[in-house]
Amino acid sequence: MRVRIEPSGHEFETSPGETILEAALREGFHLPYSCRNGACGTCKGRLLSGDVTLQDYEPRALTQADRQAGRLLFCRAVPQTPVVIEAREIGVAKDIIIKTLPARVARLERLAPDVMRLLLKLPQNERLQYLAGQYIDILLKDGRRRGFSLANAPEADELLELHIRHVPGGLFSGHVFESMQERALLRFEGPLGTFFLREDNAARPVILLAGGTGFAPMKALLEHAFLTHSERSFHLYWGARGVPDLYLPALPQQWAREHAGFRYTPVLSQPGAQDQWQGRVGYVHAAVLADYPDLTGHDVYACGPPQMIEAARDAFYKAGLPEDRLYYDAFEYARDPV
Ligand SMILES: Cc1cc2nc3c(=O)[nH]c(=O)nc-3n(C[C@H](O)[C@H](O)[C@H](O)COP(=O)(O)OP(=O)(O)OC[C@H]3O[C@@H](n4cnc5c(N)ncnc54)[C@H](O)[C@@H]3O)c2cc1C
Ligand code: FES
């Protein structure tokens, strides 16, 4: 079916059963997206004309009020007639090619009791071209896939770095912690997602909000910004439960010493007595608001558990952050094929 994007006027065809997002990416049109399974709401946009069927999605990603306003999730919408949609396109991602590649586990490194650093080596002569902040999908057997943010700047692409939290009962993270060996072979697809630094508004200060292993893409964004001598100012808030969960504690402190435009505030939600914590306590998004009650002049990049993203999104919009200046990747659980 024919799809036209407004306001750009770009047009492409979907194959039978294909979603608007799948077809758009295949044709090289970059609509905003993250989870690709109807959970995060990043791909939300308006249907201006035509009919679609919507595959399964999480009601919090697309509310009743959204439906009434003619909004839908492009990652779940399959056109039944020619359609016209309203969506923002992202120009900078257009030269990025999504590949499926094999990779070998070069190193497994325990960073915290429940965080593993996985370093992946690509076949010789292969490089992954990506934008700092993007993620890859590890392809498991039976069509299952799990997303992980790339934690290193694209300039340092000798090995790909992932930070993986052990989810109790989790299929893939359990395998990483319990049985994966160095030299194991994996397959992945990537780079994916539209969580990367927008350069068109370089004057505005940036707030980075990381929850747990949501630190991974922030590390990539910041290392890239430092390597390219970005003039922007960055304030990183990293939320975790206790001190051991801030799993690379020296790194942000080193950035703060070396880069005048960078500030760092760690925030713990449940510090234990043994942590002897003197720093900020509570929800990490609340710490941002305590320091920046008015967000009208900022760009915010957030990454981590869905509950953190949801709480931050609502509170930040109330504090004046324009909707198109919040960029996020929510670490949604995958919906496995049945
Ligand atoms: C764009 C993106 C980037 C990501 N990046 C990272 C990253 O950098 N680092 C990282 O650690 N993780 C990241 N994730 C999360 C990651 O993809 C996996 O979801 C996570 O590792 C768990 O996978 P698993 O196979 O171990 O667990 P699964 O087998 O998927 O199951 C996890 C467990 O949680 C339960 N569960 C399932 N759904 C829910 C739910 N909605 N709420 C609560 N419990 C549920 C299951 O029953 C099971 O017990 C990212 C996710 C996305 C979408
Ligand atoms: S809901 Fe469509 S990309 Fe997440």
Side-chain angles (χ1 to χ4, degrees), residues 240-291:
R241 275 160 306 168
V243 164
D245 304 310
L246 298 168
Y247 52 82
L248 284 169
L251 191 57
Q253 285 164 8
Q254 181 192 335
W255 292 334
R257 281 196 305 277
E258 292 176 354
H259 303 280
F262 175 76
R263 291 177 64 198
Y264 171 52
T265 304
V267 183
L268 296 186
S269 59
Q270 300 163 27
Q274 72 285 3
D275 286 339
Q276 302 196 330
W277 181 246
Q278 310 280 320
R280 306 278 287 269
V281 174
Y283 287 125
V284 60
H285 74 277
V288 173
L289 287 174
D291 296 349

Side-chain angles (χ1 to χ4, degrees), residues 84-310:
V84 180
I85 60 168
E86 183 182 70
R88 268 179 306 132
E89 283 171 78
I90 302 167
V92 69
K94 70 177 186 303
D95 302 327
I96 299 288
I97 300 159
I98 301 172
K99 299 180 181 177
T100 299
L101 290 172
R104 225 174 250 294
V105 175
R107 212 154 67 233
L108 284 160
E109 193 183 332
R110 186 76 74 116
L111 298 175
D114 67 350
V115 179
M116 192 77 88
R117 169 150 49 193
L118 199 65
L119 292 165
L120 298 178
K121 181 145 185 54
L122 297 185
Q124 240 165 16
N125 305 328
E126 275 291 358
R127 279 287 186 271
L128 187 71
Q129 199 203 349
Y130 61 96
L131 298 169
Q134 288 191 293
Y135 72 93
I136 57 172
D137 261 355
I138 303 278
L139 305 177
L140 310 180
K141 297 204 176 82
D142 315 329
R144 294 169 206 245
R145 41 172 75 220
R146 296 290 185 264
F148 292 97
S149 305
L150 293 159
N152 51 315
E155 291 81 2
D157 64 352
E158 185 66 25
L159 298 173
L160 298 177
E161 174 177 346
L162 310 178
H163 299 169
I164 298 181
R165 186 174 76 84
H166 190 190
V167 175
L171 179 77
F172 180 70
S173 65
H175 169 56
V176 169
F177 276 74
E178 287 148 23
S179 49
M180 184 177 272
Q181 304 283 330
E182 288 179 0
R183 299 198 47 72
L185 201 56
L186 297 172
R187 280 172 68 241
F188 73 87
E189 184 188 30
L192 298 168
T194 51
F195 183 73
F196 50 80
L197 209 57
R198 305 301 193 272
E199 304 287 359
D200 53 345
N201 39 23
R204 274 194 295 273
V206 177
I207 291 172
L208 305 172
L209 179 75
T213 43
F215 178 72
M218 303 305 182
K219 176 175 173 290
L221 283 181
L222 286 164
E223 288 180 345
H224 169 70
F226 298 147
L227 275 165
T228 54
H229 307 288
S230 169
E231 306 248 298
R232 300 184 84 169
S233 77
F234 295 95
H235 192 160
L236 169 68
Y237 289 79
W238 188 5
R241 275 160 306 168
V243 164
D245 304 310
L246 298 168
Y247 52 82
L248 284 169
L251 191 57
Q253 285 164 8
Q254 181 192 335
W255 292 334
R257 281 196 305 277
E258 292 176 354
H259 303 280
F262 175 76
R263 291 177 64 198
Y264 171 52
T265 304
V267 183
L268 296 186
S269 59
Q270 300 163 27
Q274 72 285 3
D275 286 339
Q276 302 196 330
W277 181 246
Q278 310 280 320
R280 306 278 287 269
V281 174
Y283 287 125
V284 60
H285 74 277
V288 173
L289 287 174
D291 296 349
Y292 299 95
D294 178 359
L295 287 171
T296 45
H298 284 81
D299 288 356
V300 179
Y301 292 75
C303 194
Q307 304 86 319
M308 182 200 81
I309 302 285
E310 233 171 291

Side-chain angles (χ1 to χ4, degrees), residues 33-43 73 75:
Y33 74 97
S34 177
C35 72
R36 292 191 300 171
N37 66 21
C40 71
T42 309
C43 67
L73 301 173
C75 74

